[in-house]
Amino acid sequence: MKIRTLKSRFISLFSIFLAAAMFYPAAAQEEKVLAGKVIDIDGPRLYTDRLSDRSWYQAYMGMATFLNERLRTDDKTQAVIQFYIGGRAGIGRNSKVEIVTMRSLENVREGALKIDSGTFWAKFDKQEKEFRIQTAGGVIGIEGTELLVNVEEETKITEVLLFEGQVRVTDNDGKEQLLSPGDYASFGGPRGMCVLSYPAPSLRTLVVERFPKFSSFLAAQNVTSIPKPASPTLIRGFNSQRDDLLTVLSKAQAMAGETASGLQANAGSGPPSFSWTSVPGADSYALYVAEDQKMEEILFSGNADSTSLTVPSGAPGLESGNYYWAVVALDKNGKPLGNPAQAVFQTPGWVSNGVSLEEDA
């Protein structure tokens, strides 16, 4: 299937991949449209449907995201997406995002994102065309800003906390409100719409109080004014001791030092397996599978405590062809010891059955 990168100016928020499929629905059906990349995962399970309505797969750091793709997290996982045109979106624990077309929503003129439940944050450049975020409580119209959205799964109440820019919220009864920085809005519940105004610093403090682990994770991205936690151990709730895998790869590519050798790959059938010789001083290893030699189009990334690793069966499958893989030796603190060792492997193709979600079983 042909793949292209979306460089257009109308890419949007947490869909991470959203608007273009709504502006060009026919083209989106014919080819995968790259919209961003997963740049951080804090936790064990970020799931993607990889544009399929049949299965869910486990997503990995560095993996590309596409228009019309759905993402969801479990109760221990939060993630950040980098847009190709600039800007980031954060996905909190127990969150579900679904991209919808114009034909599936009434009275939506431009791009749209449906948030089923969970907590979301985004900071992105101003857009020339407004896009919409639809929740159970109503619609949020955005052109470019920083905000946090929380949707309660049971009550369907939507909360919006606006830090920068302007957004227009419309509840299901048609009541409309223009929000300015420092505003908090709640709508979709039995009491209707409620809007409160705070000084901007107070609103950011409120985020820390309401969503401590998520706000700490976002603060660690160094792209927001949300305060960092007093305790460094709160920055990452799950894998707090290691650099994220993309940072590890970037640091390793810029250094000399100990490099693994004896790289061997077995990709004859099923998920590929990799092995290498041990590196003196290494406590663990980071492994990457990519479509390109520069390791920019990553398909899988993971940590290994030994000198071998097999791609999990729940990862997305691979089409027939040649792929690149690299391994980085890490010290006891998860820091790279030297340049990545890299090799090529060939696979006849591997079809994954995905993973089963508890609520879908």
Side-chain angles (χ1 to χ4, degrees):
M1 179 180 290
K2 182 179 179 182
I3 298 177
R4 67 183 174 89
T5 301
L6 181 67
K7 298 286 187 180
S8 308
R9 61 192 176 188
F10 49 73
I11 213 169
S12 55
L13 175 59
F14 331 106
S15 68
I16 308 146
F17 3 78
L18 72 107
M22 272 58 83
F23 295 118
Y24 302 105
Q29 293 175 0
E30 297 175 356
E31 58 183 339
K32 287 184 176 180
V33 181
L34 286 170
K37 177 184 291 187
V38 180
I39 61 169
D40 203 353
I41 301 175
D42 179 34
R45 299 176 190 89
L46 171 66
Y47 294 114
T48 169
D49 71 346
R50 299 316 267 175
L51 308 179
S52 168
D53 58 0
R54 299 183 301 274
S55 300
W56 287 93
Y57 306 93
Q58 187 152 354
Y60 297 94
M61 208 174 298
M63 180 180 286
T65 56
F66 300 97
L67 298 180
N68 289 328
E69 191 172 9
R70 293 182 297 161
L71 294 180
R72 61 188 296 171
T73 56
D74 67 4
D75 60 358
K76 296 181 180 179
T77 302
Q78 47 199 358
V80 173
I81 308 300
Q82 178 74 49
F83 299 130
Y84 279 116
I85 64 165
R88 297 187 183 189
I91 306 174
R93 292 169 168 80
N94 282 326
S95 298
K96 304 174 185 177
V97 180
E98 179 184 357
I99 310 310
V100 292
T101 66
M102 289 187 294
R103 288 174 294 186
S104 63
L105 290 178
E106 296 181 359
N107 302 320
V108 176
R109 298 187 300 273
E110 304 292 355
L113 162 68
K114 181 180 178 183
I115 301 177
D116 292 324
S117 63
T119 309
F120 303 84
W121 163 91
K123 183 174 184 178
F124 53 98
D125 298 336
K126 182 176 177 59
Q127 307 297 304
E128 293 190 8
K129 294 187 177 182
E130 182 186 83
F131 64 90
R132 306 288 183 91
I133 299 175
Q134 174 154 330
T135 72
V139 176
I140 307 165
I142 302 172
E143 295 182 357
T145 189
E146 181 185 0
L147 79 169
L148 184 143
V149 179
N150 183 64
V151 181
E152 294 292 339
E153 186 169 20
E154 294 184 2
T155 65
K156 309 301 181 183
I157 294 176
T158 298
E159 297 174 283
V160 179
L161 290 79
L162 182 62
F163 308 122
E164 297 177 3
Q166 261 187 352
V167 301
R168 188 179 304 275
V169 298
T170 307
D171 66 16
N172 292 330
D173 295 326
K175 183 177 180 180
E176 186 175 274
Q177 181 75 38
L178 183 65
L179 303 185
S180 299
D183 284 350
Y184 163 93
S186 173
F187 54 95
R191 298 182 180 180
M193 184 180 295
C194 173
V195 178
L196 303 174
S197 296
Y198 295 85
S202 298
L203 188 66
R204 295 183 186 275
T205 301
L206 177 63
V207 174
V208 175
E209 295 174 352
R210 286 283 311 281
F211 312 100
K213 292 183 178 179
F214 188 46
S215 62
S216 298
F217 177 58
L218 297 176
Q221 304 298 317
N222 297 317
V223 294
T224 177
S225 297
I226 293 175
K228 290 186 177 181
S231 172
T233 59
L234 293 178
I235 292 179
R236 304 180 65 83
F238 189 80
N239 46 332
S240 59
Q241 299 303 314
R242 299 177 182 272
D243 283 344
D244 68 75
L245 290 174
L246 295 186
T247 300
V248 165
L249 180 60
S250 177
K251 289 180 177 179
Q253 288 173 330
M255 61 189 297
E258 296 289 348
T259 299
S261 59
L263 276 63
Q264 295 185 358
N266 182 357
S269 62
S273 297
F274 307 94
S275 63
W276 55 92
T277 58
S278 61
V279 173
D283 182 74
S284 62
Y285 301 86
L287 186 138
Y288 308 84
V289 176
E291 292 185 301
D292 64 308
Q293 189 172 8
K294 293 182 178 181
M295 308 302 292
E296 294 178 347
E297 305 297 331
I298 294 176
L299 302 174
F300 169 80
S301 61
N303 287 105
D305 292 328
S306 63
T307 57
S308 64
L309 188 147
T310 299
V311 174
S313 59
L318 297 174
E319 296 181 358
S320 174
N322 293 327
Y323 296 89
Y324 296 86
W325 69 285
V327 60
V328 177
L330 307 175
D331 64 19
K332 63 181 180 180
N333 296 314
K335 308 296 183 182
L337 293 173
N339 199 257
Q342 188 169 315
V344 180
F345 72 96
Q346 185 178 47
T347 175
W350 158 51
V351 178
S352 171
N353 292 326
V355 295
S356 296
L357 303 177
E358 290 184 4
E359 65 184 64
D360 296 333

